[in-house]
Amino acid sequence: MKILVTGGAGFIGSAFVRTTLALDPASRIVNLDKLTYAGNLENLSLVEGNPQQRDRYRFVKGDICDASLLEKLLDEEQPDAIVHFAAESHVDRSIHAPTPVFDTNLRGTFTLLEAIRARPVKRFVHISTDEVYGSLPAPAEADEQYPLRTSSPYSAAKAGSDLLALSYFTTYKLPVLVTRASNNYGPYHFPEKLIPLMITNAFDNVPLPVYGDGRQIRDWLYVEDHCAGIRAVLNQGREGEIYNIGGNRSLENIEVVRRILEGAGRPESLIKYVTDRPGHDVRYAITSEKLERETGWAPLMSFEQGLEKTIQWYRDNQAWVARVKSGAYMQFYELNYSSRT
Ligand code: NAD
Ligand code: DAU
């Protein structure tokens, strides 16, 4: 199968490219990525350096909002499937600056859908998030029919793009499938998100900024388990359907932070409670029962093992971290954290 991946230089997209090329020797991947602050070709150096993989891989720098580029690429490559990861993915950035979020997550998805309306593919998998269900009271768990109740510009744009994608199935009979995953973690995760931020700050012996009381709950999914779930949907999912992909591991943020400090060998005195995120969703919870029942997929990595592997990866890849955490990263850090007391 030849797959056009969008956003394949980001955290989850690059894991999808690496694992798919490694697991399926018949697979070919074209990676279309704009290389925003979150896109990093270093995340794919293992592919570029692997003689068994590099001939089955092509990188194209470009924007999913560029309709003529999409037309040209679809004509040239004629992919069997598209797996659409490209997005502005960070809630805090979406609060500070919503414009790129609406450009990429909504207009970009629309442009892509219009491109495949003219040049159909066999599968279009739209990668979305459990954030579209909003904050749930315990012990509720969202299945795919749960109402959408978004809080941030990021989640509102993702919900909009889900509905748009599904409308192309209903109206134009395009083979659209939507996945909604819980919080991912693992290697190559950009250190603006909770787990890599806390790991890298712990190694640097600088404060770990916990929003509010730290009692918010997220369900943690190891990134390779997410990619396996996406492949299950791509290969076995039913068109027009939504599939939740969860990690089955709900933890309060403060518990995650404590475990990171323990794993990194740093003291709890580094924890600093700071002003909460505006509109902060307290609890995400989904059930992936539908995906498990229809495809046999299940998350395989325990949180303990996954966190240990992740901490070790950051310990072993300090040059990657140093490059990512310089320049514009520090400007955003200042913007996001300096006003939080
Ligand atoms: P990321 O921010 O690490 O990567 C996003 C990638 O998209 C980058 O490589 C970036 O350069 C690229 N990109 C951004 N705008 C683009 C554009 N206009 N055209 C082409 N490329 C563009 O994001 P991630 O964490 O890997 O998330 C990937 C997808 O998974 C997103 O759609 C996100 O909503 C979804 N998701 C993420 C999580 C999570 O925990 N990170 C959980 C569920 C769903
Ligand atoms: O649930 C899936 C979503 O998970 C994805 O759709 C998003 O792309 C991804 O960014 C993630 O969103 P969150 O907002 O849950 O992730 P983040 O890592 O930003 O925050 C996780 C929790 O940690 C959240 O409750 C806020 C808190 N937090 C985060 C940061 C960055 C802190 O307490 N301190 C911080 O510095």
Side-chain angles (χ1 to χ4, degrees), residues 6-14 32-40 43 62-65 84-90 100 103-105 108 126-131 154 158 179-185 188-190 192-193 220-221 226:
T6 70
F11 164 51
I12 305 172
S14 69
L32 172 65
D33 197 298
K34 185 180 172 182
L35 296 183
T36 67
Y37 79 92
N40 185 350
N43 300 356
D63 191 332
I64 55 165
C65 297
H84 172 37
F85 293 95
E88 288 293 331
S89 67
H90 189 34
D103 283 347
T104 289
N105 301 11
H126 174 67
I127 306 300
S128 188
T129 166
D130 65 355
E131 293 210 21
Y154 165 72
K158 289 301 289 190
T179 63
R180 291 178 178 156
S182 63
N183 283 61
N184 282 221
Y185 70 103
Y188 301 97
H189 202 179
F190 194 85
E192 63 188 355
K193 311 279 168 54
W220 293 100
L221 172 67
H226 184 193

Side-chain angles (χ1 to χ4, degrees), residues 89-92 129-131 154 181-183 192-194 197-198 209-211 216 218 220 253 277 280 284 337:
S89 67
H90 189 34
V91 172
D92 293 318
T129 166
D130 65 355
E131 293 210 21
Y154 165 72
S182 63
N183 283 61
E192 63 188 355
K193 311 279 168 54
L194 181 77
L197 178 84
M198 298 296 168
V210 172
Y211 294 165
Q216 303 83 5
R218 296 292 184 268
W220 293 100
N253 292 340
R277 173 185 279 172
H280 199 167
Y284 296 143
Y337 294 99

Side-chain angles (χ1 to χ4, degrees), residues 185-187 195 199 203 220 222 249 251 256 258-265 301-317:
Y185 70 103
I195 287 186
I199 295 174
F203 283 144
W220 293 100
Y222 193 67
R249 195 58 197 274
L251 288 167
V256 172
R258 289 202 176 106
R259 287 179 188 221
I260 288 171
L261 284 168
E262 195 187 337
M301 183 69 79
S302 72
F303 184 73
E304 287 66 26
Q305 224 190 340
L307 188 63
E308 196 185 317
K309 274 169 83 88
T310 305
I311 293 172
Q312 189 58 42
W313 188 87
Y314 283 90
R315 196 178 274 123
D316 293 342
N317 288 275

Side-chain angles (χ1 to χ4, degrees), residues 28-317:
R28 305 182 73 81
I29 293 186
V30 179
N31 173 15
L32 172 65
D33 197 298
K34 185 180 172 182
L35 296 183
T36 67
Y37 79 92
N40 185 350
L41 290 179
E42 275 188 71
N43 300 356
L44 293 155
S45 55
L46 289 177
V47 168
E48 302 276 9
N50 183 326
Q52 268 83 53
Q53 294 180 6
R54 63 174 171 238
D55 294 345
R56 295 185 283 124
Y57 171 73
R58 176 184 171 200
F59 174 71
V60 177
K61 184 172 180 203
D63 191 332
I64 55 165
C65 297
D66 182 344
S68 52
L69 169 71
L70 292 177
E71 282 168 23
K72 188 168 158 273
L73 196 57
L74 289 175
D75 282 344
E76 235 170 65
E77 294 288 350
Q78 310 207 349
D80 300 297
I82 297 180
V83 182
H84 172 37
F85 293 95
E88 288 293 331
S89 67
H90 189 34
V91 172
D92 293 318
R93 282 184 196 257
S94 85
I95 293 169
H96 290 292
T99 306
V101 178
F102 285 90
D103 283 347
T104 289
N105 301 11
L106 277 169
R107 197 160 61 82
T109 302
F110 167 69
T111 311
L112 208 47
L113 288 163
E114 278 294 279
I116 60 161
R117 190 154 76 90
R119 292 162 175 76
V121 291
K122 294 195 190 93
R123 292 287 224 192
F124 180 91
V125 182
H126 174 67
I127 306 300
S128 188
T129 166
D130 65 355
E131 293 210 21
V132 298
Y133 302 120
S135 194
L136 274 73
E141 284 186 336
D143 66 11
E144 290 79 359
Q145 305 307 318
Y146 201 84
L148 306 186
R149 200 183 304 113
T150 58
S151 307
S152 69
Y154 165 72
S155 55
K158 289 301 289 190
S161 62
D162 289 16
L163 297 180
L164 199 56
L166 290 167
S167 79
Y168 275 62
F169 168 75
T170 309
T171 306
Y172 303 115
K173 309 292 174 229
L174 292 187
V176 170
L177 301 95
V178 173
T179 63
R180 291 178 178 156
S182 63
N183 283 61
N184 282 221
Y185 70 103
Y188 301 97
H189 202 179
F190 194 85
E192 63 188 355
K193 311 279 168 54
L194 181 77
I195 287 186
L197 178 84
M198 298 296 168
I199 295 174
T200 54
N201 278 16
F203 283 144
D204 290 345
N205 291 303
V206 299
L208 276 59
V210 172
Y211 294 165
D213 62 5
R215 304 287 307 272
Q216 303 83 5
I217 293 174
R218 296 292 184 268
D219 167 23
W220 293 100
L221 172 67
Y222 193 67
V223 66
E224 291 186 10
D225 279 333
H226 184 193
C227 294
I230 294 167
R231 279 188 293 272
V233 170
L234 176 64
N235 296 319
Q236 297 163 257
R238 286 178 294 131
E239 291 172 10
E241 293 290 321
I242 302 164
Y243 293 90
N244 288 346
I245 311 181
N248 256 333
R249 195 58 197 274
S250 293
L251 288 167
E252 287 187 351
N253 292 340
I254 190 64
E255 174 66 17
V256 172
V257 172
R258 289 202 176 106
R259 287 179 188 221
I260 288 171
L261 284 168
E262 195 187 337
R266 296 294 192 273
E268 290 201 4
S269 56
L270 282 176
I271 294 173
K272 183 179 174 198
Y273 290 94
V274 300
T275 310
D276 209 349
R277 173 185 279 172
H280 199 167
D281 284 332
V282 174
R283 175 176 177 269
Y284 296 143
I286 51 173
T287 169
S288 334
E289 197 270 331
K290 176 177 174 183
L291 180 64
E292 293 178 17
R293 180 170 27 87
E294 290 192 17
T295 71
W297 172 89
L300 300 177
M301 183 69 79
S302 72
F303 184 73
E304 287 66 26
Q305 224 190 340
L307 188 63
E308 196 185 317
K309 274 169 83 88
T310 305
I311 293 172
Q312 189 58 42
W313 188 87
Y314 283 90
R315 196 178 274 123
D316 293 342
N317 288 275

